[in-house]
Amino acid sequence: MQDKLYNYLLMLGDNSMILGHRLSELCGHGPSLETDIALTNMSLDLFGQVRSYFQYAAKLKAGDATEDSIAFLRTERNHHNALLVEQPNEDFAHVITRQYFFDQYHLLLLEQLCESKDEQINAIAHKSIKEVKYHHRFSKTWMKRLAQGTRVSHEKMQAAVTSLYPYTEELTKANAVENEMFNQGIGADLASIKSVYYEEVDGLLSNIGLQKPEEGFFYKGGKEGIHTEHFGFILSDFQYMQRTYPNMTW
Amino acid sequence: MEHSIEYLEKQFQDRIDRGENIEAKDWMPEKYRKTHIRQISQHAHSEIVGMLPEGNWITRAPSLRRKVALLAKVQDEAGHGLYLYSAAETLGISRDELFHQLHTGKAKYSSIFNYPAVTWADMGAIGWLVDGAAIINQVMLTRTSYGPYARAMVRICKEESFHQRQGYEIMITLCNGTEEQKAMAQDALNRWWWPSLMMFGPTDAESTHTEQSMKWKIKRKTNDELRQQFIDITIPQAEFLGLTVPDPDLKWNEERGHYDFGEIDWTEFWQVVKGFGPCNKERLKARNKAWDNGAWVREAALAYSEKQSKESIRKAV
Ligand SMILES: [Fe+2]
Ligand SMILES: [Fe+2]
């Protein structure tokens, strides 16, 4: 089995899966019907991507692996999403900020994956990028609206940026798997993404009057499977059925 | 020339009798307008509150395929709410006002959503029975006299029948599964059967709205007729699953060409309608919480769009 490629697929899939999960928690509880529908749409798109990545990963792994065994039966330390996407739905400002920080990265990533030498990843990226362009437009528009809406919304957005910005760097900091995948022409070049990413994100923040934290410290660990304390609770929900009723068909 | 109310009402009734649709700009009796606002908004609220029992299982769905299908289903219900609020708005009431009625407990919604969804099998039972019962009602409403409502129903019905099949397919999978899964399916049927029958409302003898509603072609069949239709369709489906419908009095009546069924517990029905079902308080609390937490977002969006339009006026000048 191609270990590195398999792990790369887990990283790609886990980001979509855990963010999709966070968004799915909001279904039926949004601030308006329109935003409720839009957030659910994004969750649906992300889970669609997860299925593509994990179906491919299951083929690589062979044996009796399926998209579901990969999605539902791994423990905390074997999930490789960035810490950003597991951050809780504190309020709508956090939801939108988390989304924008991720979408901006996701868009740049998929642009590169559209050039991937790996046929499957290439195809998944082509399909996903259409969806993610929409996500990016949605979250960016809401960043502006909320930052420049009322005094209250501005303050909430500032609080969200202050708390979530330190999770951004991990997205574009390549680990061993990502480096290897880039060298093989399969994965993205995160170094080149990083500079564009911060140009875009910092540009938007200053445009809409939000400050990034001055300290310049960043968190990391998710990609290596060291998550925040939220993560176990995500898995308890997510894996509940598969763990309670093992080996059944649903 | 000014026409008398009696003349206008006669004209109006003639149009309905001829099978014409009434449109938003047409003259209509005040009572017709009010009845429609009440019915369409109740229906809209039911869609929105109906998102909660199933929404509760999205994060715990047992497979990716089921999760995606459930997400899409609950999202469809939000869409139904949206069309229906728009249909109600054509009658001169705002969505905010309608939400206010829901949040303060003034408006009703379908009582079925005051029952808890306690196991995964409930996702099957709700789709199969609750969407199934809703379709029976809604197919009739595609031919209702008020145009915007009838057209919203046509769109909605297509999706509801998809939901019904999806729910039934969950039930089939459970019934083909392990003993534990089968028991889960039977238990869900036991809990959802009677509340589903109650979805059609009180018996014709007790129903206060039926007569006028029939005359205005808001309804074309009575509660009891619709309930019977639902039972006749659903029993063979339960048999196919190998499940037992929890009604010892249920049996085929050759003479009537329908199933006979046992007495519905109307005390329970009225208890839930009056706000004392298992989840009435939680449902209202959840809706209020979403609305209150979203207030600053809606205010910000409004303030932002006002600033934008001022800005574009300033630039134009
Ligand atoms: Fe619906
Ligand atoms: Fe439905």
Side-chain angles (χ1 to χ4, degrees):
Chain A
M1 186 178 102
Q2 297 152 278
D3 258 354
K4 287 262 161 56
L5 177 57
Y6 178 77
N7 282 326
Y8 192 56
L9 290 169
L10 292 188
M11 295 176 68
L12 294 170
D14 280 347
N15 275 337
S16 292
M17 183 167 93
I18 300 302
L19 185 57
H21 176 84
R22 281 301 191 206
L23 292 170
S24 80
E25 292 175 334
L26 294 165
C27 182
H29 306 279
S32 68
L33 272 178
E34 287 82 354
T35 47
D36 206 306
I37 290 171
L39 295 179
T40 305
N41 234 348
M42 296 198 284
S43 177
L44 273 169
D45 289 343
L46 291 167
F47 277 112
Q49 296 163 16
V50 173
R51 296 189 69 187
S52 306
Y53 288 129
F54 288 176
Q55 281 164 10
Y56 182 26
K59 257 187 232 150
L60 292 179
K61 200 171 181 199
D64 50 7
T66 63
E67 59 175 62
D68 287 331
S69 69
I70 295 175
F72 291 92
L73 297 176
R74 283 176 292 140
T75 53
E76 289 90 333
R77 294 283 278 106
N78 297 309
H79 282 84
H80 299 284
N81 58 280
L83 297 177
L84 173 71
V85 295
E86 69 197 55
Q87 296 310 303
N89 301 321
E90 208 72 52
D91 62 11
F92 195 68
H94 280 73
V95 170
I96 290 299
T97 306
R98 181 184 65 203
Q99 192 66 38
Y100 171 68
F101 285 169
F102 183 73
D103 290 342
Q104 185 59 63
Y105 157 76
H106 203 187
L107 188 60
L108 296 169
L109 175 79
L110 290 173
E111 275 170 10
Q112 290 207 14
L113 295 185
C114 281
E115 311 289 322
S116 173
K117 275 189 198 152
D118 184 285
E119 239 172 73
Q120 301 257 16
I121 290 184
N122 190 304
I124 298 170
H126 273 96
K127 185 178 168 287
S128 308
I129 197 165
K130 291 181 203 134
E131 300 163 348
V132 170
K133 273 182 185 159
Y134 169 79
H135 302 179
H136 178 255
R137 191 172 351 121
F138 176 87
S139 60
K140 193 173 173 180
T141 308
W142 273 100
M143 289 291 290
K144 289 185 203 164
R145 264 191 205 127
L146 295 176
Q148 304 182 320
T150 61
R151 198 176 52 81
V152 173
S153 71
H154 180 86
E155 278 167 14
K156 285 184 189 284
M157 286 305 284
Q158 183 57 61
V161 167
T162 305
S163 83
L164 294 172
Y165 194 88
Y167 291 100
T168 55
E169 195 191 56
E170 186 185 17
L171 294 167
T172 56
K173 198 168 191 167
N175 68 5
V177 172
E178 288 167 315
N179 278 329
E180 175 68 24
M181 286 296 104
F182 170 56
N183 290 335
Q184 289 185 25
I186 295 173
D189 173 16
L190 290 185
S192 74
I193 287 182
K194 183 173 183 170
S195 58
V196 186
Y197 179 79
Y198 280 108
E199 241 169 70
E200 286 288 335
V201 168
D202 292 349
L204 178 73
L205 293 181
S206 83
N207 246 324
I208 60 181
L210 296 173
Q211 315 289 326
K212 59 178 183 174
E214 280 166 17
E215 299 83 352
F217 293 122
F218 292 97
Y219 304 113
K220 62 174 190 300
K223 284 180 176 181
E224 311 311 323
I226 304 170
H227 293 276
T228 59
E229 288 185 351
H230 305 298
F231 204 74
F233 295 97
I234 293 180
L235 293 193
S236 341
D237 268 356
F238 196 84
Q239 301 184 347
Y240 166 69
M241 290 295 290
Q242 288 279 346
R243 298 293 187 190
T244 313
Y245 306 97
N247 302 318
M248 298 186 196
T249 305
W250 301 98
Chain B
M1 194 185 86
E2 278 283 304
H3 291 298
S4 72
I5 290 284
E6 288 77 13
Y7 175 81
L8 289 168
E9 279 180 355
K10 167 96 182 36
Q11 293 279 312
F12 179 81
Q13 189 61 51
D14 287 348
R15 286 187 63 194
I16 288 184
D17 293 343
R18 283 196 301 271
E20 286 178 28
N21 269 351
I22 306 302
E23 295 301 330
K25 291 202 177 75
D26 297 347
W27 184 89
M28 62 185 80
E30 204 39 38
K31 197 162 165 240
Y32 180 90
R33 180 188 305 277
K34 289 232 170 77
T35 304
H36 266 94
I37 289 176
R38 182 176 53 78
Q39 189 175 330
I40 299 173
S41 63
Q42 274 184 19
H43 193 160
H45 299 328
S46 302
E47 301 283 356
I48 301 308
V49 177
M51 295 169 74
L52 298 170
E54 288 176 289
N56 158 38
W57 276 93
I58 291 171
T59 57
R60 292 175 295 165
S63 69
L64 291 175
R65 183 170 82 91
R66 292 293 181 204
K67 189 185 289 283
V68 167
L70 186 59
L71 261 170
K73 188 205 170 187
V74 178
Q75 186 193 37
D76 283 348
E77 307 301 3
H80 298 172
L82 209 53
Y83 310 151
L84 286 163
Y85 285 122
S86 306
E89 282 179 315
T90 63
L91 292 162
I93 188 161
S94 70
R95 211 206 289 183
D96 277 9
E97 172 66 23
L98 294 171
F99 275 144
H100 181 74
Q101 293 175 357
L102 173 65
H103 296 149
T104 52
K106 208 183 133 207
K108 298 253 176 293
Y109 55 85
S110 183
S111 275
I112 192 86
F113 301 118
N114 292 317
Y115 289 86
V118 292
T119 71
W120 170 255
D122 292 18
M123 298 305 97
I126 292 175
W128 172 36
L129 301 172
V130 177
D131 288 81
I135 292 165
I136 303 256
N137 231 327
Q138 291 172 357
V139 165
M140 171 187 74
L141 288 169
T142 59
R143 295 185 303 134
T144 190
S145 61
Y146 188 54
Y149 192 25
R151 286 188 292 273
M153 277 303 127
V154 173
R155 276 178 88 172
I156 290 172
C157 271
K158 285 187 197 137
E159 293 179 349
E160 298 298 7
S161 57
F162 186 74
H163 298 167
Q164 197 265 351
R165 283 204 299 277
Q166 190 173 292
Y168 192 61
E169 207 252 312
I170 291 177
M171 296 302 278
I172 292 176
T173 309
L174 292 173
C175 291
N176 288 332
T178 63
E179 282 310 311
E180 221 172 346
Q181 286 174 301
K182 244 177 263 178
M184 196 190 271
Q186 179 64 57
D187 170 64
L189 173 59
N190 293 349
R191 284 179 291 105
W192 290 95
W193 175 253
W194 290 105
S196 299
L197 298 191
M198 294 177 198
M199 280 177 74
F200 297 94
T203 56
D204 297 347
E206 297 282 325
S207 178
T208 44
H209 301 301
T210 298
E211 197 187 332
Q212 180 67 74
S213 294
M214 298 282 267
K215 197 173 154 221
W216 279 337
K217 293 188 184 165
I218 298 173
K219 290 191 75 140
R220 288 164 178 268
K221 286 178 184 168
T222 68
N223 294 353
D224 286 335
E225 285 169 337
L226 293 167
R227 187 166 15 243
Q228 183 71 59
Q229 192 185 335
F230 173 73
I231 291 171
D232 291 347
I233 292 174
T234 310
I235 299 304
Q237 296 172 349
E239 281 167 359
F240 179 80
L241 292 172
L243 297 178
T244 310
V245 175
D247 178 357
D249 297 324
L250 189 84
K251 64 168 186 295
W252 177 251
N253 182 326
E254 193 64 56
E255 208 172 301
R256 289 204 308 126
H258 292 294
Y259 282 93
D260 290 337
F261 56 98
E263 180 72 23
I264 290 172
D265 182 351
W266 294 110
T267 315
E268 176 180 321
F269 174 80
W270 289 113
Q271 177 174 341
V272 183
V273 169
K274 290 186 174 148
F276 295 89
C279 298
N280 295 59
K281 295 199 170 60
E282 283 88 340
R283 300 298 184 234
L284 271 195
K285 203 169 127 195
R287 284 315 313 159
N288 273 296
K289 191 175 163 206
W291 186 249
D292 294 345
N293 286 344
W296 70 269
V297 177
R298 296 189 302 274
E299 279 157 22
L302 190 68
Y304 181 78
S305 76
E306 277 165 5
K307 280 180 204 166
Q308 292 300 102
S309 58
K310 266 188 208 148
E311 182 69 5
S312 62
I313 290 168
R314 193 186 60 77
K315 276 183 186 153
V317 172

